[in-house]
Amino acid sequence: MIHGLTPLSAAQKTLLGLSKIEVNALLQLGIEVLKARNDGTYLIKLGQHTFTTKSDQPLEPGREYWAQMRQSKGGVIHLQRLMPKPAMLKMADSLSFDLALLENLAKKKDPAGGFRDHLLHQMAAATTKDSFQNLTQLLMSLHQGVVSLPIKEQGRPMLLQMRKKRQNRDLNQKSVEFYAAMSNIGPLVGVIIQTGSRKDLKLFLHYSKSIELLERNKESLHGFATVAIERSPAAVKPFWDGEKATLLDIKG
């Protein structure tokens, strides 16, 4: 669990800065796969438009993806570097979390315990089955040591996950790892390391254009001695993305 880790406030400010960055709509598209056709093509929804296209990788109907779009001279649309969006991202449409909650948690002596109490309070007041199940998933995520926050900021859904960094060679360091699924720059993983009063930030992204974008907007990320932005060597996946189990399955 995350117990009193002070870089939480730095994570909150970082995500706020990232969420405000405006990007070209063709940088990372959000698409939904509506149907897989017998000829190997897919019916895709992009905004209010639908079209048929091919993909170099199998796609799951009903799943949403990030993708880079390229249009050939013949007008054929090609989707590249597809990355499935985490299932928990959809919770942002129905749960009323925002970055202010993260700011409040950062002030608590036990942020994880405070978030657990907040979830239990909301579960007791839940009026729909879907709301109760979503809150159950967030509680199960916390049980696995991951704080998961589906957030809507400036009308944009995003998923923030945090956990205490598992390996600290320097015993004087405090650090937190976070994952963010963001509509404007795609998925990313970051780590905030605090040594004394010094904080350093490292960000690892899936899309090279997002790296270029953040390099041009480093001034949005305040309060760090250094900011390193790199291409992730592995797929950028959430720390935890839900299970079919219920609260009754949690033991010990």
Side-chain angles (χ1 to χ4, degrees):
M1 293 293 182
I2 300 174
H3 294 289
L5 198 58
T6 53
L8 278 175
S9 58
Q12 180 265 339
K13 293 177 182 178
T14 300
L15 268 293
L16 181 60
L18 292 172
S19 68
K20 291 181 177 179
I21 296 175
E22 298 294 335
V23 301
N24 187 310
L26 295 183
L27 185 60
Q28 272 76 246
L29 300 169
I31 65 168
E32 181 180 0
V33 181
L34 299 178
K35 183 186 297 185
R37 299 185 180 276
N38 294 332
D39 61 358
T41 62
Y42 296 90
L43 183 64
I44 300 293
K45 182 179 181 181
L46 172 61
Q48 300 299 317
H49 305 284
T50 59
F51 60 94
T52 301
T53 186
K54 288 187 175 181
S55 172
D56 294 335
Q57 67 186 69
L59 303 180
E60 181 182 340
R63 193 75 188 259
E64 295 183 1
Y65 294 79
W66 289 287
Q68 289 183 180
M69 185 175 75
R70 180 177 63 85
Q71 190 168 7
S72 67
K73 293 181 179 179
V76 179
I77 295 175
H78 297 273
L79 300 177
Q80 301 173 321
R81 293 191 59 77
L82 287 115
M83 171 67 71
K85 292 186 177 183
M88 296 183 79
L89 183 60
K90 290 185 177 181
M91 293 184 187
D93 292 327
S94 58
L95 295 178
S96 57
F97 296 146
D98 55 27
L99 285 173
L101 173 62
L102 180 58
E103 184 177 12
N104 291 332
L105 290 176
K107 298 175 182 178
K108 294 182 178 295
K109 184 176 181 180
D110 180 8
F115 187 50
R116 181 192 61 242
D117 293 343
H118 181 80
L119 292 177
L120 291 172
H121 177 76
Q122 288 213 337
M123 289 175 69
T127 57
T128 67
K129 180 180 178 181
D130 286 345
S131 177
F132 185 85
Q133 288 180 336
N134 286 342
L135 291 165
T136 298
Q137 291 293 318
L138 299 184
L139 194 61
M140 291 178 65
S141 173
L142 190 61
H143 184 74
Q144 298 300 317
V146 178
V147 174
S148 294
L149 281 173
I151 295 170
K152 213 158 196 180
E153 186 73 18
Q154 299 182 338
R156 293 172 172 168
M158 78 175 146
L159 174 66
L160 170 63
Q161 294 185 330
M162 291 175 295
R163 66 186 179 192
K164 187 174 181 179
K165 196 171 186 299
R166 297 181 178 181
Q167 292 182 347
N168 279 333
R169 296 181 180 179
D170 186 345
L171 296 179
N172 294 318
Q173 287 184 350
K174 293 182 178 180
S175 58
V176 61
E177 291 179 308
F178 63 90
Y179 163 89
M182 310 185 74
S183 59
N184 57 338
I185 56 179
L188 64 89
V189 170
V191 58
I192 296 172
I193 299 174
Q194 178 175 325
T195 307
S197 60
R198 174 191 173 104
K199 294 187 182 71
D200 297 282
L201 172 66
K202 295 181 180 180
L203 296 175
F204 300 91
L205 290 89
H206 179 70
Y207 292 102
S208 57
K209 289 186 178 180
S210 292
I211 296 174
E212 297 170 5
L213 177 74
L214 292 189
E215 286 287 356
R216 295 195 300 268
N217 289 272
K218 275 188 176 182
E219 68 277 5
S220 300
L221 309 175
H222 305 290
F224 298 102
T226 61
V227 177
I229 302 171
E230 302 176 13
R231 174 83 169 268
S232 176
V236 182
K237 297 181 179 180
F239 300 149
W240 196 87
D241 197 21
E243 297 176 0
K244 295 181 179 180
T246 67
L247 278 178
L248 296 179
D249 296 312
I250 299 179
K251 297 180 180 179

